[in-house]
Amino acid sequence: MQAHTNRRPGEIAFNAALFGFSLFMFWQAYQISGFSALSSAGAFPMAMSAIMIIASAVVLFRSLKLASPGGGWSGFRSEVLPPAVLVFSLFILAYSITLKSLGFLLASFLFLLVSIWYLERGRIGRTLLLTVASITGVYVIFRVVFQVVLPEGIIPERAILAALGDFFAGSK
Amino acid sequence: MMDALSYLFASWLQPELLALTAVGTAAGIYIGAIPGLSVTMAVSILISFTFGWEVNHALALMNGIFMGGVYGGSRTAILLNIPGAPAAIATALDGYPMAKKGEAGNAIGLSTVMSFFGGFVGIIVLAAGAPVVSEFAILFQPRDYMLLAVMGILLVGSLSGESLAKGIFAGAFGMLLGTVGLDPMTAEQRFTFGSVELMNGISPVALMIGLFGVSEALLQLHNLHLAAVKQKVDKIIPSFSDLKKYLPLSLQTSAIGVIIGALPGTGGDIAALMAYDHAKRVTQNPEVPFGQGAKEGLVAPESANNAAVGGAYIPMLTLGIPGDAVTAVIIGALFIHGLNPGPLLLIEKPDMFWFTVGNLTLANILLLVFGLTGIKVFTKIIECPKGVLFPLILLLSVVGAYSINNSLSDVWWMLGFGVLGYFMKLYGYQVGPVVLGIILSRLMDDNWRRAIISEQESLPAFFYGMITSPLSAVLFLAIVLILLSQTPVWRAIKMHASPRLGRG
């Protein structure tokens, strides 16, 4: 990272939030056991949050002295939160919410399909192919080889796997 | 002794372990090489998938990835001028100019063999040094552990970050996160806000996946459509005369690498930069000037960063203090497998230590094999479009976090830390100290309380003990020096004394 003379958009707000958070955590740490003893359960958390307060205050103070980034809201949008990041984050959120109810296979399929299509802006056929190939790869490596338990959801994959196993066992 | 030997070669003789090491090393090379994928990211995500495994299997995979990944970063540094991993930043300085002159194959070959040499030196020092350190470590008082942990956090925060204050904040924040839950000594609740789920604390794995995986992927979306430049690659195997010529430099910089790697908190990236600087100072008349494709500038960082791998395992296995971010993650994995890295590990579990040494050696040899072959496939794979790569990383992150406890709450934590990490990185905070902090928090807290209880809660007695015990005094002095070296006054003196050095 290079040292910079200009603030990045939103830097003060972020540093101020960290400072406020540090104050809050110090207060919470004080609630644990107050100033009762140096070896109390709250002593170490209090020390750490105190360090956080001092460090974040220094950072905040320094960022206040830097020149304003200019650019306003549009500068913030292009430098800090470009549309790609925002939209993609929403995809991740949707994926996490639906993972359990839809199950790994279906939720991942939808997530990959939409996000690859969005990020690559490619043809739907190619996207579909990449998605299916990726999911098959992940599924084989993690579910079949590594035996990781993945949320099943509405596709009865365990039953399918078992049936497949029986089929191959039976055909021997 | 025979026992130790049998453990040493365990991963060579068991086909399963051999295969896992090979897969890990090969995957590591690609993970390290693909910009946007990092070893820390891969190892963090993999921890959650290897929960159910035997510890040796999990270790074999992670050792391979670590070894391969540190080397893999050099590939893209040479071919694209984009270091695939932080440890390869110095490699790009002379590697890319070599590639531009059409010597990409030569550069890759040389860096592969030198990485192998470096890695080997690191492993030898690990095998010889760890038992010594471990015996010495038994003398460590709780106070000394505390100081070591502080030193580790400070080194990560100060050497790699934008400002010391940000590094200290990140470290303290990580430590604080580590205290969430029931206090192990008194069972008091800390920062639980009445929630039952928080009583077990924040999962370090969710935190790591969030900070190293999600935030990095989000950040990389900023430059999604950077076009890659292609290079011609031929003649990989380096000439014998080159090897002979650069071996002394390789050995010197390997020594630098091991030492830097063994310091708590510093890893391959810093080792590589220091080695590069060393090469610049000792090479009187380079054939090609530094920065324009000097082979010395390639040999030095590549030997050092792989030597740092072995070095980083020393404090991890003997003191329970991670040497760098990757070993912080590996310590997390060892905890999960019920192992307690520390001075007693070598005595109680010598098998694990010798297994690790043997396994790293195996990974190092495999690195040489994979490094000198498969270049054609390699150039195809690194062209993998980012728009496919990032959704896949995110998918693995979400599924990885989910499989820690088969619950969605770890996913939420991971996503939360992912977003936080995104902003932290954007505003110049390092996330490494946070991870180191959450791993070291318990060690710091416990040892602080033991130390202060043994001094009857007296701070003056605590400080008196710190200055009068030689070991504590040295550690304390080191911490003071680290802090001082970050102050503007010191920097001004240094710049004044050696204006030619500058950064790096």
Side-chain angles (χ1 to χ4, degrees), chain A residues 1 4 8-10 14-15 21-22 38-39 41 44-45 51 55 59 79-80 88 96 111 120 142 148 150-151, chain B residues 49 162 165 168-169 173 176 183 188 190 221-222 387 391 396 399 402 415 422 425-427 429 445 448-449 457:
Chain A
M1 287 263 174
H4 56 286
R8 297 179 187 103
F14 184 72
N15 289 339
F21 172 75
S22 308
L38 284 170
S39 63
F44 182 70
I51 294 174
V59 173
E79 263 188 64
V80 179
F88 192 52
S96 307
F111 169 69
E120 284 285 293
F142 291 99
V148 175
L150 300 170
Chain B
F49 291 115
E162 194 172 85
I168 290 179
F169 176 86
F173 177 52
L176 192 79
D183 169 29
E188 279 170 88
R190 301 200 276 193
L221 287 179
H222 282 252
L396 289 179
V399 174
Y402 178 84
L415 291 180
Y422 171 80
K425 286 181 182 172
L426 209 60
Y427 294 125
Y429 291 82
D445 192 10
W448 155 250
R449 282 152 89 176
E457 296 265 332

Side-chain angles (χ1 to χ4, degrees), chain A residues 68-92:
Chain A
S68 158
W73 179 241
S74 66
F76 180 80
R77 272 213 330 227
S78 68
E79 263 188 64
V80 179
L81 266 188
V85 175
L86 203 63
V87 173
F88 192 52
S89 306
L90 291 177
F91 290 164
I92 303 166

Side-chain angles (χ1 to χ4, degrees), chain A residues 3-53:
Chain A
H4 56 286
T5 46
N6 267 42
R7 268 198 322 260
R8 297 179 187 103
E11 189 164 352
I12 290 191
F14 184 72
N15 289 339
L18 289 186
F19 179 66
F21 172 75
S22 308
L23 286 176
F24 173 73
M25 289 313 264
F26 183 80
W27 176 60
Q28 285 295 320
Y30 176 76
Q31 305 270 313
I32 297 171
S33 44
F35 287 105
S36 57
L38 284 170
S39 63
S40 69
F44 182 70
M46 261 166 81
M48 287 306 121
S49 46
I51 294 174
M52 281 165 64
I53 292 176

Side-chain angles (χ1 to χ4, degrees), chain B residues 6 79 82 154 212 214 294 380 421 429 485 487 491:
Chain B
S6 71
L79 291 173
I82 308 169
L154 274 180
F212 289 135
V214 176
K380 282 271 168 300
Y429 291 82
S485 69
T487 55
R491 251 183 247 160

Side-chain angles (χ1 to χ4, degrees), chain B residues 20 97 126 136 149 184 205 255 274 284-285 295 304 314 321 341 394 398 402 481-482 502:
Chain B
L20 277 174
L126 169 68
F136 183 59
V205 182
M274 289 191 65
Q284 297 300 341
N285 299 305
K295 285 182 182 168
I314 298 176
I321 290 179
L394 260 314
V398 171
Y402 178 84
L481 276 179
I482 294 170

